[in-house]
Amino acid sequence: MQISNTLFRSLAPIAFALLPLAAHAQTTDELAEIVEPEASSGAYMGAVLVAKGDEVLLNRAWGSANLEWEIANTNETRFRIGSVTKQFTAVSILLLQERGMLSVKAPISQYLDDTPEAWNAITVRDLLQHTSGISNVTSLDEFGTRKFLPTTQDELIAMFADLPLEFEPGSKWAYSNSNFVLLSRIVENVSQQNYSEFIEANLLEPLEMQSTGIDRSASILQRRASGYSPSQHGIVNADYVNMAIPTGAGALYSTTGDLLKWHRGLFGGALLNEESLSQLTTPSEHDAVQGARYAMGLLVTDSPEGPVIWHGGGIEGFNAFLGYDQNTQTSVVVLANLNGGSAARLGMELLKTIRE
């Protein structure tokens, strides 16, 4: 999986030079012109949606869902969204807290079996905010081979469970997919459902997100895009990754339209109560990437005009960006089936343009 710190290092120079709000709205063509150069050069293939309130300003697709069959991407194409999945996991945890089944302040040892002694001070909140100190499993040398293989969640956790913590829990911030692998296990242990069943019943069905779900390598999935990577010889098929591995750290697929439903439901109060939504979007005190701090499965960039809440995602063959301007209720969704970081760059630029 490419759900690694690489994405956040790439965002640092561009996140976020937000400009003051102006009164005029951007037209569809003006927004599309931001995407066109990247698409025309072959650096971007995917689908983009920009909506302000109830008005959809841009909803277009570029490039191919499958280059070998010359099938075009459309607004209904399903893309893997990588670490954008993390906010779904965070919302699941907060839903369980609302139901009195866990507390984000509690040590994770209350909800996980046989945790190492070194993890005794780690809370659920530390996992949600990447302040646990647990090593990032996708950065381990062993993971480069493991991602190709059938791997159980127990085997994945065993890869990092006995490693020393990188810092005292709560004292620093460091992005680690291991945190959200453990949160996936907590959702399962507490709810007595597997992760996929829980989010389907509690998140996707209530919001009628019928084009979103856990991607499975062996499944036949209608309108799923093929994933590609750039190379010195041009675009190539992306590396394989066993999709049983990422779970709540990065296993979801979705569409631009479904992710708009997610934003409207999440920020419209259809999933969480006001207190839980505040917890979800309140960042820790530690800087994450330049100009942003990490909340719970989300990054928050503050500005005089109000916060921008966002996250990127990267996994073999796919990149994603999902951003929300709370002040103007603007959602920007950029999904790509070509690695290279264009989704994040375009997402940032579209959000900035809406504020100009």
Side-chain angles (χ1 to χ4, degrees), residues 45 63-73 77 224-228 237 337:
M45 300 194 303
S64 294
N66 186 288
L67 288 167
E68 292 161 320
W69 284 89
E70 297 183 342
I71 297 170
N73 278 320
T77 302
R224 174 168 52 190
S226 299
Y228 299 97
N237 288 311
N337 58 322

Side-chain angles (χ1 to χ4, degrees), residues 267-280:
F267 295 109
L271 294 175
L272 297 175
N273 63 33
E274 187 175 343
E275 180 181 353
S276 294
L277 185 59
S278 177
Q279 286 189 62
L280 180 77

Side-chain angles (χ1 to χ4, degrees), residues 229-237:
S229 294
S231 79
Q232 60 183 354
H233 304 296
I235 295 175
V236 299
N237 288 311

Side-chain angles (χ1 to χ4, degrees), residues 7 10 15 45 109 111 117 127 151 167 176 187 215 269 285 327 347:
L7 174 67
S10 70
M45 300 194 303
S109 58
Y111 312 113
E117 185 176 347
L127 297 182
T151 302
F167 50 81
S176 174
V187 169
D215 204 352
E285 62 186 11
N327 186 56

Side-chain angles (χ1 to χ4, degrees), residues 74-85:
T74 73
N75 299 330
E76 296 182 346
T77 302
R78 297 174 178 183
F79 299 84
R80 291 175 181 172
I81 62 173
S83 287
V84 173
T85 302

Side-chain angles (χ1 to χ4, degrees), residues 231-250:
S231 79
Q232 60 183 354
H233 304 296
I235 295 175
V236 299
N237 288 311
D239 276 355
Y240 173 80
V241 58
N242 180 355
M243 289 303 294
I245 292 174
T247 59

Side-chain angles (χ1 to χ4, degrees), residues 243-292:
M243 289 303 294
I245 292 174
T247 59
L252 283 178
Y253 65 83
S254 193
T255 63
T256 53
D258 261 18
L259 289 173
L260 178 60
K261 290 180 181 180
W262 170 251
H263 265 183
R264 292 297 177 257
L266 177 61
F267 295 109
L271 294 175
L272 297 175
N273 63 33
E274 187 175 343
E275 180 181 353
S276 294
L277 185 59
S278 177
Q279 286 189 62
L280 180 77
T281 57
T282 299
S284 74
E285 62 186 11
H286 306 291
D287 289 338
V289 299
Q290 182 178 340

